[in-house]
Amino acid sequence: MPAQPRRNPPDPAQPPAADGHAGPDAAGPRGGSIAQVAARVGVSVATVSRVLNGHANVRAATRERVLAEIETSGYRVNELARNLRTAESRLLLTMVPDFGNPFYAEIVRGIDGVARQHGYFMLLCDTGADAGRERSYFDLLRRHRADGAICLDPATVQHALAAESTALPWVACCEFDPGVGVPYVGIDNFLAARDAVRHLIARGRRRIALINSDEHYLYAQQRRDGYLDALAEAGLEARDAWRVNVNCLDYGAGAGAAAVLMQQAAPPDAIFAVSDTLAVGVINGLRGAGRRVPDDVAVVGFDDIALAAQIDPPLTTVAQPMRELGETAARLLLQRLAVREARVPGVLLPHRLVVRQSG
């Protein structure tokens, strides 16, 4: 009788696999199988699977209990095995033009929070507002290395890629052009800028300057137009000398622009800056020029980043709903992924003016 082949004894460190119980798909300090997670929560394996795969037909309370148990137990999904079964990467790209701008931080947190709730991971991509770098990230979508993308790049970059990318699952966030033909979320930049300048006018300011971004950005064009509309409405002069465009939104650019404005024979008595980072720099630049804020020159910013309330004086600014912008962008993208042929609408979220001591 031929000798029977030797069988290695089971490895106690590796639970049995492939039958819905623990295996390479899971590992954790409390025993990491999907069945064990389900048993501890008191739900079916199918319910845990629906949570992991981001399906919406799970009650919120149940979803939270499952996610809490997954976190506590250390359950880990074998992503490669699942991807081969589902042809999904469970990866969402977030393309950001400038990592150094704190405005994007809260938006990214909003995107990541919704992605995790639905079983996705988020990959943060630094594009530098460069069409070539953005194109390389879109290639990940074409090759199914990522399921979808959220783009915060300028509308000009989006236009450059529109012809080749409209069929891909992506959403524009903050900077958008409805003409590109993809879902978007943002605010009404024209109305927001007009509200900011109207506020300065109501405070008695008559010589109001604008420090703006490069006007190849669509939001810069819209905020410029809102500024001009508010001045025209009040019958105030819009001097070209009181409009300064900068190539970046950092603190130094704001300080430099403020110094240029204060050197004029008839300097402005108020400055509207199209971002808080610029506005913080403006306040420092005015201080360096011997001007007091708001006594000599009032300052209004845009975004309401965390620093805006901490500087001296605290900054009056237009608040964008940054976390909600990110959350909405992620939900729009998930809608598009769930039903590829569905028409997903664009969304405009409300802004608000936060009045502090700078103007």
Side-chain angles (χ1 to χ4, degrees):
M1 183 175 188
Q4 295 296 317
R6 291 186 62 186
R7 298 183 182 274
N8 294 325
D11 181 358
Q14 177 60 66
D19 60 354
H21 299 290
D25 271 13
R30 292 174 55 181
S33 76
I34 191 171
Q36 289 168 322
V37 169
R40 284 193 290 266
V41 178
V43 298
S44 68
V45 169
T47 296
V48 176
S49 178
R50 283 195 292 270
V51 171
L52 288 170
N53 286 286
H55 292 293
N57 58 338
V58 180
R59 287 185 300 177
T62 302
R63 181 185 304 277
E64 291 303 317
R65 286 165 47 217
V66 171
L67 291 174
E69 175 57 34
I70 288 170
E71 184 69 23
T72 302
S73 67
Y75 175 82
R76 295 292 180 270
V77 178
N78 184 324
E79 295 296 334
L80 177 60
R82 181 169 69 179
N83 293 351
L84 290 173
R85 293 193 301 270
T86 66
E88 293 180 329
S89 69
R90 311 302 293 181
L91 184 66
L92 304 181
L93 308 180
T94 297
M95 296 184 281
V96 176
D98 180 7
F99 277 10
N101 191 333
F103 166 69
Y104 295 116
E106 198 66 15
I107 295 174
V108 168
R109 290 190 185 101
I111 294 169
D112 186 59
V114 171
R116 286 179 177 274
Q117 287 173 10
H118 291 82
Y120 285 86
F121 295 95
M122 186 199 73
L123 177 64
L124 194 56
C125 309
D126 182 5
T127 67
D130 177 77
R133 289 167 70 175
E134 189 174 85
R135 185 175 286 108
S136 68
Y137 289 122
F138 273 116
D139 285 342
L140 294 178
L141 299 184
R142 293 186 185 89
R143 300 199 304 268
H144 304 290
R145 301 291 179 86
D147 291 337
I150 295 169
C151 179
L152 287 82
D153 266 337
T156 50
V157 174
Q158 296 175 19
H159 270 292
L161 300 172
E164 56 183 301
S165 64
T166 49
L168 297 173
W170 66 284
V171 169
C173 181
C174 299
E175 176 78 349
F176 64 89
D177 184 346
V180 172
V182 300
Y184 62 85
V185 57
I187 67 167
D188 190 321
N189 286 291
F190 174 88
L191 293 181
R194 190 176 68 180
D195 287 346
V197 178
R198 280 177 170 177
H199 167 77
L200 289 168
I201 294 169
R203 291 293 178 94
R205 307 294 171 159
R206 294 296 179 265
R207 304 188 310 277
I208 302 172
L210 171 68
I211 300 179
N212 201 0
S213 177
D214 189 317
E215 290 184 6
H216 78 275
Y217 288 96
L218 188 61
Y219 79 83
Q221 300 168 27
Q222 294 166 340
R223 294 177 194 179
R224 174 205 62 202
D225 292 345
Y227 158 85
L228 293 173
D229 187 77
L231 293 182
E233 177 185 62
L236 297 178
E237 185 178 11
R239 291 190 185 181
D240 289 342
W242 291 343
R243 288 166 51 189
V244 179
N245 289 86
V246 296
N247 292 324
C248 63
L249 299 178
D250 63 19
Y251 305 110
V260 168
L261 289 169
M262 290 304 106
Q263 291 168 3
Q264 297 181 12
D269 61 4
I271 296 174
F272 169 47
V274 298
S275 83
D276 284 349
T277 48
L278 284 177
V280 171
V282 165
I283 290 175
N284 287 333
L286 291 172
R287 186 175 293 120
R291 302 307 205 278
R292 297 168 298 165
V293 177
D295 303 69
D296 300 323
V297 185
V299 178
V300 172
F302 205 108
D303 293 334
D304 199 26
I305 62 175
L307 183 61
Q310 308 304 319
I311 62 169
D312 181 27
L315 181 65
T316 294
T317 186
V318 174
Q320 294 204 64
M322 293 174 283
R323 177 70 70 104
E324 191 177 355
L325 284 167
E327 292 172 345
T328 303
R331 292 190 182 104
L332 290 177
L333 180 57
L334 292 173
Q335 288 178 34
R336 195 171 186 189
L337 292 175
V339 184
R340 293 299 177 103
E341 65 275 10
R343 183 176 180 82
V344 179
V347 177
L348 289 180
L349 298 178
H351 65 274
R352 60 190 178 89
L353 185 67
V354 179
V355 179
R356 299 191 179 101
Q357 297 171 24
S358 70

Short mmCIF file of all heavy atoms in Angstrom, two decimals, residues 85-124:
data_model
loop_
_atom_site.label_atom_id
_atom_site.label_comp_id
_atom_site.label_asym_id
_atom_site.label_seq_id
_atom_site.Cartn_x
_atom_site.Cartn_y
_atom_site.Cartn_z
N ARG A 85 -12.41 39.69 -6.95
CA ARG A 85 -13.78 39.21 -7.02
C ARG A 85 -14.73 40.28 -7.55
O ARG A 85 -15.68 39.98 -8.25
CB ARG A 85 -14.26 38.77 -5.63
CG ARG A 85 -13.57 37.54 -5.08
CD ARG A 85 -14.32 36.99 -3.87
NE ARG A 85 -14.43 37.95 -2.78
CZ ARG A 85 -13.54 38.08 -1.81
NH1 ARG A 85 -12.46 37.31 -1.79
NH2 ARG A 85 -13.71 38.96 -0.84
N THR A 86 -14.51 41.54 -7.20
CA THR A 86 -15.49 42.59 -7.49
C THR A 86 -15.06 43.55 -8.58
O THR A 86 -15.85 44.39 -9.00
CB THR A 86 -15.76 43.42 -6.22
OG1 THR A 86 -14.56 44.12 -5.86
CG2 THR A 86 -16.18 42.54 -5.06
N ALA A 87 -13.80 43.48 -9.04
CA ALA A 87 -13.26 44.43 -10.01
C ALA A 87 -13.34 45.86 -9.48
O ALA A 87 -13.53 46.80 -10.23
CB ALA A 87 -13.99 44.31 -11.35
N GLU A 88 -13.23 46.03 -8.17
CA GLU A 88 -13.21 47.33 -7.54
C GLU A 88 -11.92 47.49 -6.75
O GLU A 88 -11.40 46.53 -6.19
CB GLU A 88 -14.39 47.50 -6.57
CG GLU A 88 -15.75 47.55 -7.24
CD GLU A 88 -16.86 47.71 -6.22
OE1 GLU A 88 -16.68 47.22 -5.08
OE2 GLU A 88 -17.88 48.32 -6.54
N SER A 89 -11.43 48.72 -6.69
CA SER A 89 -10.23 48.98 -5.89
C SER A 89 -10.58 49.47 -4.50
O SER A 89 -9.76 49.43 -3.60
CB SER A 89 -9.37 50.04 -6.59
OG SER A 89 -10.03 51.30 -6.56
N ARG A 90 -11.81 50.00 -4.33
CA ARG A 90 -12.27 50.64 -3.09
C ARG A 90 -11.36 51.83 -2.75
O ARG A 90 -11.18 52.17 -1.59
CB ARG A 90 -12.32 49.66 -1.91
CG ARG A 90 -13.02 48.36 -2.18
CD ARG A 90 -14.44 48.56 -2.63
NE ARG A 90 -15.29 49.12 -1.56
CZ ARG A 90 -16.59 49.37 -1.72
NH1 ARG A 90 -17.18 49.13 -2.87
NH2 ARG A 90 -17.29 49.88 -0.72
N LEU A 91 -10.81 52.47 -3.77
CA LEU A 91 -9.90 53.59 -3.59
C LEU A 91 -10.45 54.81 -4.32
O LEU A 91 -10.79 54.74 -5.50
CB LEU A 91 -8.52 53.22 -4.14
CG LEU A 91 -7.40 54.25 -3.97
CD1 LEU A 91 -7.06 54.40 -2.48
CD2 LEU A 91 -6.16 53.82 -4.74
N LEU A 92 -10.53 55.93 -3.60
CA LEU A 92 -10.96 57.19 -4.18
C LEU A 92 -9.79 58.17 -4.17
O LEU A 92 -9.11 58.30 -3.15
CB LEU A 92 -12.14 57.78 -3.40
CG LEU A 92 -13.37 56.89 -3.23
CD1 LEU A 92 -14.45 57.64 -2.45
CD2 LEU A 92 -13.92 56.43 -4.59
N LEU A 93 -9.58 58.86 -5.27
CA LEU A 93 -8.51 59.85 -5.36
C LEU A 93 -9.06 61.23 -5.01
O LEU A 93 -10.15 61.58 -5.43
CB LEU A 93 -7.94 59.89 -6.78
CG LEU A 93 -7.51 58.56 -7.41
CD1 LEU A 93 -6.99 58.81 -8.82
CD2 LEU A 93 -6.46 57.87 -6.56
N THR A 94 -8.29 61.99 -4.25
CA THR A 94 -8.61 63.40 -4.01
C THR A 94 -7.45 64.23 -4.52
O THR A 94 -6.34 64.17 -3.98
CB THR A 94 -8.85 63.67 -2.51
OG1 THR A 94 -9.98 62.92 -2.08
CG2 THR A 94 -9.11 65.16 -2.27
N MET A 95 -7.70 64.98 -5.60
CA MET A 95 -6.63 65.73 -6.28
C MET A 95 -6.66 67.18 -5.82
O MET A 95 -7.63 67.90 -6.06
CB MET A 95 -6.82 65.61 -7.79
CG MET A 95 -6.65 64.17 -8.26
SD MET A 95 -6.74 63.96 -10.05
CE MET A 95 -8.49 64.01 -10.32
N VAL A 96 -5.58 67.59 -5.14
CA VAL A 96 -5.48 68.90 -4.51
C VAL A 96 -4.36 69.70 -5.17
O VAL A 96 -3.26 69.18 -5.34
CB VAL A 96 -5.21 68.75 -3.00
CG1 VAL A 96 -5.02 70.10 -2.33
CG2 VAL A 96 -6.36 67.99 -2.33
N PRO A 97 -4.60 70.97 -5.53
CA PRO A 97 -3.57 71.74 -6.22
C PRO A 97 -2.47 72.29 -5.33
O PRO A 97 -1.39 72.62 -5.82
CB PRO A 97 -4.36 72.88 -6.86
CG PRO A 97 -5.55 73.05 -5.98
CD PRO A 97 -5.89 71.68 -5.48
N ASP A 98 -2.73 72.41 -4.02
CA ASP A 98 -1.75 73.05 -3.14
C ASP A 98 -1.89 72.50 -1.73
O ASP A 98 -2.77 72.92 -0.97
CB ASP A 98 -1.94 74.57 -3.15
CG ASP A 98 -0.95 75.30 -2.26
OD1 ASP A 98 -0.02 74.65 -1.74
OD2 ASP A 98 -1.10 76.52 -2.07
N PHE A 99 -1.01 71.57 -1.35
CA PHE A 99 -1.06 70.99 -0.02
C PHE A 99 -0.80 72.03 1.08
O PHE A 99 -1.20 71.86 2.22
CB PHE A 99 -0.01 69.88 0.12
CG PHE A 99 -0.45 68.54 -0.42
CD1 PHE A 99 -1.61 68.42 -1.16
CD2 PHE A 99 0.31 67.41 -0.18
CE1 PHE A 99 -2.02 67.19 -1.65
CE2 PHE A 99 -0.08 66.17 -0.66
CZ PHE A 99 -1.25 66.07 -1.40
N GLY A 100 -0.12 73.12 0.73
CA GLY A 100 0.24 74.10 1.73
C GLY A 100 -0.89 75.00 2.16
O GLY A 100 -0.77 75.71 3.16
N ASN A 101 -2.00 75.01 1.43
CA ASN A 101 -3.12 75.88 1.76
C ASN A 101 -4.03 75.19 2.77
O ASN A 101 -4.64 74.16 2.46
CB ASN A 101 -3.91 76.22 0.49
CG ASN A 101 -4.93 77.32 0.71
OD1 ASN A 101 -5.42 77.52 1.83
ND2 ASN A 101 -5.26 78.05 -0.34
N PRO A 102 -4.18 75.77 3.98
CA PRO A 102 -4.99 75.09 5.01
C PRO A 102 -6.47 75.00 4.66
O PRO A 102 -7.20 74.24 5.29
CB PRO A 102 -4.78 75.97 6.26
CG PRO A 102 -4.33 77.29 5.75
CD PRO A 102 -3.55 77.00 4.49
N PHE A 103 -6.92 75.76 3.68
CA PHE A 103 -8.31 75.68 3.24
C PHE A 103 -8.70 74.26 2.86
O PHE A 103 -9.82 73.81 3.12
CB PHE A 103 -8.52 76.62 2.05
CG PHE A 103 -9.80 76.40 1.29
CD1 PHE A 103 -11.02 76.72 1.86
CD2 PHE A 103 -9.78 75.89 0.00
CE1 PHE A 103 -12.21 76.51 1.16
CE2 PHE A 103 -10.96 75.70 -0.70
CZ PHE A 103 -12.17 76.01 -0.12
N TYR A 104 -7.76 73.52 2.25
CA TYR A 104 -8.10 72.18 1.75
C TYR A 104 -8.19 71.13 2.86
O TYR A 104 -8.79 70.07 2.65
CB TYR A 104 -7.07 71.74 0.71
CG TYR A 104 -7.09 72.59 -0.54
CD1 TYR A 104 -5.98 73.35 -0.89
CD2 TYR A 104 -8.20 72.63 -1.36
CE1 TYR A 104 -5.99 74.15 -2.03
CE2 TYR A 104 -8.22 73.42 -2.50
CZ TYR A 104 -7.11 74.18 -2.82
OH TYR A 104 -7.13 74.96 -3.95
N ALA A 105 -7.61 71.39 4.01
CA ALA A 105 -7.51 70.35 5.05
C ALA A 105 -8.88 69.86 5.49
O ALA A 105 -9.13 68.65 5.58
CB ALA A 105 -6.72 70.87 6.24
N GLU A 106 -9.80 70.79 5.78
CA GLU A 106 -11.11 70.39 6.28
C GLU A 106 -11.94 69.73 5.18
O GLU A 106 -12.74 68.83 5.44
CB GLU A 106 -11.84 71.61 6.85
CG GLU A 106 -13.00 71.27 7.77
CD GLU A 106 -12.58 70.59 9.05
OE1 GLU A 106 -11.38 70.61 9.39
OE2 GLU A 106 -13.46 70.03 9.73
N ILE A 107 -11.76 70.16 3.94
CA ILE A 107 -12.45 69.51 2.83
C ILE A 107 -12.01 68.05 2.71
O ILE A 107 -12.83 67.14 2.55
CB ILE A 107 -12.16 70.26 1.52
CG1 ILE A 107 -12.77 71.67 1.57
CG2 ILE A 107 -12.71 69.50 0.31
CD1 ILE A 107 -12.43 72.54 0.39
N VAL A 108 -10.70 67.84 2.81
CA VAL A 108 -10.16 66.47 2.71
C VAL A 108 -10.70 65.61 3.86
O VAL A 108 -11.04 64.43 3.66
CB VAL A 108 -8.62 66.51 2.72
CG1 VAL A 108 -8.04 65.12 2.92
CG2 VAL A 108 -8.11 67.12 1.41
N ARG A 109 -10.81 66.17 5.06
CA ARG A 109 -11.38 65.41 6.18
C ARG A 109 -12.82 65.00 5.89
O ARG A 109 -13.24 63.89 6.22
CB ARG A 109 -11.31 66.23 7.46
CG ARG A 109 -9.91 66.43 8.01
CD ARG A 109 -9.93 67.04 9.40
NE ARG A 109 -8.58 67.34 9.85
CZ ARG A 109 -8.03 68.54 9.83
NH1 ARG A 109 -8.73 69.59 9.39
NH2 ARG A 109 -6.80 68.73 10.26
N GLY A 110 -13.58 65.90 5.28
CA GLY A 110 -14.96 65.56 4.93
C GLY A 110 -15.03 64.44 3.92
O GLY A 110 -15.86 63.53 4.04
N ILE A 111 -14.18 64.49 2.91
CA ILE A 111 -14.14 63.43 1.90
C ILE A 111 -13.77 62.10 2.55
O ILE A 111 -14.42 61.07 2.32
CB ILE A 111 -13.14 63.78 0.78
CG1 ILE A 111 -13.61 65.01 0.00
CG2 ILE A 111 -12.94 62.58 -0.17
CD1 ILE A 111 -12.56 65.58 -0.96
N ASP A 112 -12.73 62.12 3.36
CA ASP A 112 -12.24 60.89 3.98
C ASP A 112 -13.28 60.28 4.90
O ASP A 112 -13.45 59.05 4.94
CB ASP A 112 -10.95 61.18 4.75
CG ASP A 112 -10.30 59.92 5.29
OD1 ASP A 112 -9.97 59.03 4.48
OD2 ASP A 112 -10.14 59.82 6.52
N GLY A 113 -14.00 61.13 5.65
CA GLY A 113 -15.01 60.60 6.57
C GLY A 113 -16.11 59.84 5.85
O GLY A 113 -16.49 58.74 6.25
N VAL A 114 -16.63 60.42 4.76
CA VAL A 114 -17.69 59.74 4.01
C VAL A 114 -17.14 58.50 3.31
O VAL A 114 -17.80 57.45 3.26
CB VAL A 114 -18.32 60.72 2.99
CG1 VAL A 114 -19.26 59.97 2.03
CG2 VAL A 114 -19.07 61.83 3.71
N ALA A 115 -15.93 58.60 2.77
CA ALA A 115 -15.34 57.43 2.11
C ALA A 115 -15.22 56.26 3.07
O ALA A 115 -15.60 55.12 2.74
CB ALA A 115 -13.96 57.80 1.55
N ARG A 116 -14.73 56.51 4.27
CA ARG A 116 -14.57 55.42 5.25
C ARG A 116 -15.91 54.83 5.67
O ARG A 116 -16.03 53.62 5.87
CB ARG A 116 -13.81 55.94 6.47
CG ARG A 116 -12.33 56.15 6.22
CD ARG A 116 -11.62 56.68 7.44
NE ARG A 116 -10.19 56.82 7.22
CZ ARG A 116 -9.31 55.82 7.39
NH1 ARG A 116 -9.75 54.64 7.77
NH2 ARG A 116 -8.04 56.02 7.15
N GLN A 117 -16.92 55.69 5.80
CA GLN A 117 -18.24 55.19 6.17
C GLN A 117 -18.78 54.19 5.15
O GLN A 117 -19.57 53.32 5.48
CB GLN A 117 -19.23 56.35 6.30
CG GLN A 117 -19.04 57.22 7.54
CD GLN A 117 -19.94 58.44 7.51
OE1 GLN A 117 -20.84 58.54 6.66
NE2 GLN A 117 -19.71 59.36 8.42
N HIS A 118 -18.33 54.32 3.92
CA HIS A 118 -18.83 53.46 2.85
C HIS A 118 -17.80 52.44 2.39
O HIS A 118 -17.91 51.87 1.30
CB HIS A 118 -19.29 54.32 1.67
CG HIS A 118 -20.53 55.11 1.96
ND1 HIS A 118 -20.49 56.31 2.64
CD2 HIS A 118 -21.84 54.86 1.70
CE1 HIS A 118 -21.72 56.77 2.77
NE2 HIS A 118 -22.55 55.92 2.22
N GLY A 119 -16.79 52.21 3.22
CA GLY A 119 -15.84 51.15 2.92
C GLY A 119 -14.80 51.48 1.88
O GLY A 119 -14.22 50.57 1.27
N TYR A 120 -14.54 52.77 1.66
CA TYR A 120 -13.52 53.18 0.70
C TYR A 120 -12.32 53.79 1.43
O TYR A 120 -12.44 54.31 2.54
CB TYR A 120 -14.07 54.24 -0.26
CG TYR A 120 -14.98 53.70 -1.32
CD1 TYR A 120 -16.34 53.53 -1.07
CD2 TYR A 120 -14.50 53.34 -2.58
CE1 TYR A 120 -17.20 53.04 -2.05
CE2 TYR A 120 -15.34 52.85 -3.56
CZ TYR A 120 -16.69 52.70 -3.29
OH TYR A 120 -17.53 52.21 -4.26
N PHE A 121 -11.19 53.74 0.77
CA PHE A 121 -9.99 54.44 1.23
C PHE A 121 -9.77 55.64 0.32
O PHE A 121 -10.14 55.63 -0.86
CB PHE A 121 -8.76 53.53 1.18
CG PHE A 121 -8.85 52.37 2.12
CD1 PHE A 121 -9.31 51.14 1.69
CD2 PHE A 121 -8.47 52.51 3.44
CE1 PHE A 121 -9.40 50.06 2.56
CE2 PHE A 121 -8.55 51.44 4.32
CZ PHE A 121 -9.01 50.22 3.88
N MET A 122 -9.16 56.68 0.86
CA MET A 122 -8.90 57.89 0.09
C MET A 122 -7.40 58.06 -0.11
O MET A 122 -6.63 57.91 0.84
CB MET A 122 -9.47 59.11 0.80
CG MET A 122 -9.35 60.39 -0.01
SD MET A 122 -9.51 61.87 1.00
CE MET A 122 -7.93 61.84 1.87
N LEU A 123 -6.99 58.35 -1.33
CA LEU A 123 -5.60 58.65 -1.65
C LEU A 123 -5.49 60.12 -2.00
O LEU A 123 -6.15 60.60 -2.92
CB LEU A 123 -5.11 57.79 -2.82
CG LEU A 123 -3.67 58.06 -3.28
CD1 LEU A 123 -2.68 57.70 -2.18
CD2 LEU A 123 -3.37 57.28 -4.55
N LEU A 124 -4.68 60.87 -1.24
CA LEU A 124 -4.50 62.30 -1.46
C LEU A 124 -3.41 62.51 -2.52
O LEU A 124 -2.29 62.01 -2.38
CB LEU A 124 -4.11 62.96 -0.15
CG LEU A 124 -4.20 64.48 -0.05
CD1 LEU A 124 -5.60 64.97 -0.39
CD2 LEU A 124 -3.81 64.93 1.35
#
